Amino acid sequence: MDNRTYIADSQIDLSAVAQSNNPLDAAATNGNGTVAKKPSPVRDKWGKDVEFMLSCIAYSVGFGNVWKFPYTALKNGGGAFLIPYLVVLFLVGRPIYYLEMVMGQFSSRGVVKIYDLSPAMRGIGVGQSIAMFIVMTYYTPILAITFRYLVASFSAVLPWAKCDPSWPNCVDSDFVGQIVNNASIKPRASAELYFQNSVMHQNASLYEGLGLPDWKLVLCLLFAWLCVATILIKGIKSSGKASYFLAIFPYVIILILFVHACTLDGAFNGIKFFLTPQWDQLLNVTVWYEAVTQCFFSLSVCFGGIIAYASFNNFSNNVYKDAIIISWLDTFTSIIAGCIVFGVTGNLAYVTEQQDIQAVVKSGAGLTFMTYPDAIAKFDWLPQLFSALFFLMLFIVGLGSNLGVTTSIVTAIKDQCPELKNWQVVSAVAVAGFSFGIVYLTPGGMHLLDILDYYGAKYVTLTFAVLELATLAWIYGVDRICRDIKFMLGIETSLFWRICWGVVTPLVTVAILLLSFIDYEAFVVPVGYNVLGWFIYIVAVLQLPGWALYAITRSSSKTIDSWWGSLKKSFYPLPEWGPEDVPTRLRYQEEVEQHEATVPRDRSLMDVFKRKLLS
């Protein structure tokens, strides 16, 4: 596919631009001096460049760093998992992160409108927005549960430290020592039963239905959404100001918790267990699969949030530096969070005289809301303080991530409907998010969360990640991306980035997607829930052919030749594609025309490969 821009249908007269004092007026003037269309309003910008970097840190560092990374590393070889994870970060995570930053900043467009670069592929952005909406609906309920625990931390006695008389076979979480059990039923810690019975009123499975939500959690959900809406209601400038607190303050708490965790009895054994490599796991394909998946969801790439945040950047902001700093900081945070969690877990194993540390660790939300509270309840000194610090940190990093998720959706809507006020879009998204979020706070809600996360987030995101990379690297072209970077930042792109964008990263992503389908197992739930999951996936994927057909038919006529021309044209950038600033965009379009005039005609696939990747 040639990476040319069709501008013949909407030529912009340079003299008209020169005579106009208003660049928006110039943007709306075509070659014959008439008004072509109503101009889009100028996009809001970050107050300072550092606010963009801090917001990306707050967005990328979230729940996945605190609970998913430590457990995934433990399950896949401990310290040996760090080796494939760092390799994947270097070859997949960071290149995608940098690529999305570049494209968002260059075009000043969100995840849907960015496909002005290839209108036939606009369904990718719509599909990613569907995935982001699914994530948004369950992310805030987890934030609500976190806030519930934060409030409970200020009790005179931690409520999960003691058993309720109605809980059978329960052991107080503040009990220090080995539990001798001669019964056939294994005793359960009060922290585990508190989460399941008092907080979630959790059903054993979805065969028991969803049930009704707990009113306390609904109020916590309302509070969480009020926090999100308050920060976003005035646009990107207000969220930029909040980023100073959301990105920096959690590290103050993380440092306190890390120092305290290292001083606990048995902490070294837990951290050693977390970091000690099991070298035989390096040859396990599953470990590499988990490393790529963790990298995707830890950095939050291919969801649309990075593109949305970068679209509010100044045109010349050094996103290369930001991408390097944020990707390494995200990995560092995951490792430190793992040391904190397993330091505390090591102490839990020590005080309960449990030899197998893995036996006291639970996966996912259980690690955060069961294992960690159980360990905190056993602290000798001020368990309420460290509980409050931990859940405050978790609430802040979760809030920062949720702002990025919500901003992506708000940006996608405003790009398509610029006449809407920011507060209107934010309010509508918040109301929708709150309404859908209530279902996750029901007794069966956590089981439903796993299903929708699996189909609506994981599968949809990996599928569109493949399509996004194919579109940017081979339809738009790595060569054109590199020229755009040179035009925007004045720097040459090295062969490393070209090879990653064009070959390595797409192939790895395709392999991971195929492995995820090969390893597919339906959930053991009523069949309707698996059907719902596949329905969401299919609806998201069908956005691609649907929007492609719309782009083709929008300008085609009844003749076959014209239809074929419209098909090809729908894969090329729109006439208005380029930088937001009109004089800059006109200069850019001149450079594109000059370059295309010198490009020789491709005679073979190898010529296409060389031109797209190396020219």
Side-chain angles (χ1 to χ4, degrees):
M1 188 70 66
D2 295 336
N3 56 356
R4 65 189 65 168
T5 307
Y6 273 82
I7 60 175
D9 296 337
S10 182
Q11 287 286 350
I12 301 177
D13 187 2
L14 297 179
S15 62
V17 175
Q19 295 171 4
S20 175
N21 293 325
N22 187 345
L24 293 179
D25 293 339
T29 307
N30 61 21
N32 58 15
T34 62
V35 175
K37 65 177 183 177
K38 184 179 178 180
S40 299
V42 176
R43 200 177 195 81
D44 288 340
K45 301 297 179 185
W46 299 101
K48 297 180 180 178
D49 290 343
V50 70
E51 292 178 4
F52 164 69
M53 185 175 71
L54 292 175
S55 295
C56 285
I57 292 172
Y59 170 56
S60 296
V61 176
F63 292 141
N65 301 78
V66 178
W67 75 41
K68 192 173 189 303
F69 181 87
Y71 182 78
T72 303
L74 172 67
K75 187 177 67 174
N76 293 280
F81 175 78
L82 296 178
I83 297 174
Y85 181 78
L86 292 175
V87 171
V88 167
L89 174 73
F90 192 67
L91 297 177
V92 179
R94 185 190 292 176
I96 298 177
Y97 208 93
Y98 180 37
L99 177 62
E100 293 194 330
M101 279 187 170
V102 164
M103 299 309 296
Q105 176 172 303
F106 177 79
S107 64
S108 296
R109 289 164 169 84
V111 66
V112 176
K113 195 166 179 58
I114 197 172
Y115 287 95
D116 285 354
L117 61 82
S118 181
M121 307 303 286
R122 195 179 303 280
I124 297 173
V126 179
Q128 288 175 328
S129 296
I130 292 174
M132 284 293 266
F133 184 81
I134 296 295
V135 172
M136 183 189 73
T137 61
Y138 68 67
Y139 211 95
T140 317
I142 298 175
L143 204 60
I145 299 171
T146 303
F147 183 70
R148 169 80 185 273
Y149 270 82
L150 175 60
V151 173
S153 299
F154 292 95
S155 304
V157 177
L158 293 177
W160 56 83
K162 297 292 184 182
C163 293
D164 187 276
S166 63
W167 299 341
N169 207 38
C170 176
V171 176
D172 291 339
S173 285
D174 61 2
F175 172 77
V176 176
Q178 186 176 18
I179 300 170
V180 179
N181 179 42
N182 297 322
S184 59
I185 302 176
K186 182 180 178 181
R188 300 171 69 187
S190 58
E192 177 182 352
L193 293 170
Y194 175 79
F195 174 72
Q196 294 178 342
N197 296 342
S198 295
V199 177
M200 296 302 303
H201 307 284
Q202 195 167 13
N203 290 336
S205 72
L206 282 172
Y207 285 102
E208 299 178 20
L210 286 173
L212 296 175
D214 180 81
W215 67 270
K216 295 179 183 177
L217 287 178
V218 173
L219 289 180
C220 291
L221 179 65
L222 177 62
F223 174 78
W225 269 113
L226 285 174
C227 290
V228 172
T230 300
I231 294 174
L232 294 181
I233 201 78
K234 292 185 177 180
I236 204 66
K237 291 188 182 297
S238 61
S239 65
K241 297 296 183 291
S243 68
Y244 291 94
F245 174 76
L246 296 173
I248 296 174
F249 186 67
Y251 285 96
V252 176
I253 301 177
I254 287 173
L255 178 62
I256 295 172
L257 293 175
F258 177 71
V259 172
H260 179 260
C262 291
T263 64
L264 297 173
D265 293 330
F268 177 75
N269 292 333
I271 295 173
K272 180 182 177 182
F273 189 81
F274 169 54
L275 296 177
T276 299
Q278 300 173 29
W279 298 111
D280 59 306
Q281 293 295 316
L282 286 178
L283 300 178
N284 189 340
V285 176
T286 303
V287 173
W288 290 87
Y289 166 75
E290 292 286 356
V292 176
T293 305
Q294 175 63 33
C295 188
F296 262 90
F297 291 97
S298 180
L299 287 174
S300 303
V301 293
C302 295
F303 277 96
I306 303 300
I307 293 175
Y309 271 162
S311 70
F312 299 105
N313 268 348
N314 293 314
F315 188 69
S316 59
N317 184 43
N318 187 357
V319 288
Y320 177 82
K321 174 196 68 177
D322 293 337
I324 301 300
I325 292 174
I326 295 168
S327 58
W328 279 120
L329 184 62
D330 181 82
T331 303
F332 170 77
T333 305
S334 296
I335 295 173
I336 293 299
C339 290
I340 294 172
V341 170
F342 279 92
V344 173
T345 303
N347 174 254
L348 177 61
Y350 176 83
V351 299
T352 57
E353 301 179 21
Q354 174 64 254
Q355 297 299 317
D356 184 8
I357 293 178
Q358 198 163 6
V360 301
V361 177
K362 298 184 182 295
S363 64
L367 181 63
T368 304
F369 298 120
M370 288 187 259
T371 302
Y372 203 90
D374 185 38
I376 290 176
K378 293 176 171 56
F379 286 1
D380 294 328
W381 186 70
L382 290 178
Q384 294 90 341
L385 172 63
F386 291 102
S387 177
L389 287 175
F390 176 75
F391 287 109
L392 177 60
M393 179 268 293
L394 200 62
F395 183 82
I396 294 173
V397 298
L399 180 61
S401 296
N402 204 27
L403 290 177
V405 172
T406 309
T407 298
S408 176
I409 297 171
V410 169
T411 303
I413 295 173
K414 286 198 65 184
D415 280 351
Q416 300 304 311
C417 306
E419 69 278 3
L420 293 177
K421 302 293 184 182
N422 191 76
W423 69 267
Q424 295 173 323
V425 180
V426 170
S427 299
V429 170
V431 169
F434 174 77
S435 301
F436 282 98
I438 292 176
V439 73
Y440 299 104
L441 302 179
T442 60
M446 296 303 287
H447 302 298
L448 179 65
L449 187 155
D450 290 336
I451 294 171
L452 295 188
D453 176 63
Y454 189 70
Y455 292 102
K458 177 183 175 181
Y459 272 154
V460 172
T461 301
L462 288 177
T463 300
F464 283 112
V466 171
L467 295 169
E468 175 187 322
L469 293 171
T471 301
L472 295 179
W474 293 104
I475 296 179
Y476 188 69
V478 172
D479 59 326
R480 181 156 181 176
I481 293 172
C482 295
R483 293 197 304 274
D484 291 349
I485 293 173
K486 180 67 179 296
F487 181 86
M488 179 171 65
L489 302 179
I491 60 176
E492 296 289 349
T493 303
S494 68
L495 183 62
F496 167 78
W497 297 106
R498 292 170 181 263
I499 296 298
C500 284
W501 291 335
V503 181
V504 177
T505 305
L507 288 180
V508 171
T509 309
V510 169
I512 295 304
L513 178 62
L514 293 177
L515 280 174
S516 67
F517 281 116
I518 292 172
D519 292 340
Y520 168 76
E521 291 183 7
F523 285 86
V524 184
V525 295
V527 66
Y529 290 102
N530 283 307
V531 172
L532 173 64
W534 280 117
F535 175 76
I536 292 172
Y537 176 78
I538 292 170
V539 167
V541 171
L542 286 179
Q543 299 301 314
L544 182 60
W547 284 93
L549 186 62
Y550 173 76
I552 295 167
T553 57
R554 190 178 182 184
S555 58
S556 66
S557 65
K558 296 181 180 180
T559 64
I560 295 178
D561 290 342
S562 176
W563 192 90
W564 178 249
S566 298
L567 173 64
K568 292 192 296 182
K569 184 178 178 180
S570 68
F571 286 92
Y572 296 127
L574 293 177
E576 61 267 23
W577 169 256
E580 178 185 33
D581 177 65
V582 175
T584 305
R585 183 166 68 246
L586 294 175
R587 183 162 54 88
Y588 167 72
Q589 290 175 342
E590 282 186 342
E591 288 194 11
V592 170
E593 289 183 41
Q594 291 171 5
H595 173 80
E596 290 174 352
T598 63
V599 174
R601 188 175 185 84
D602 298 322
R603 297 183 178 181
S604 65
L605 288 176
M606 185 56 66
D607 289 339
V608 176
F609 181 84
K610 290 180 179 179
R611 176 175 58 80
K612 289 284 188 179
L613 205 61
L614 304 175
S615 66

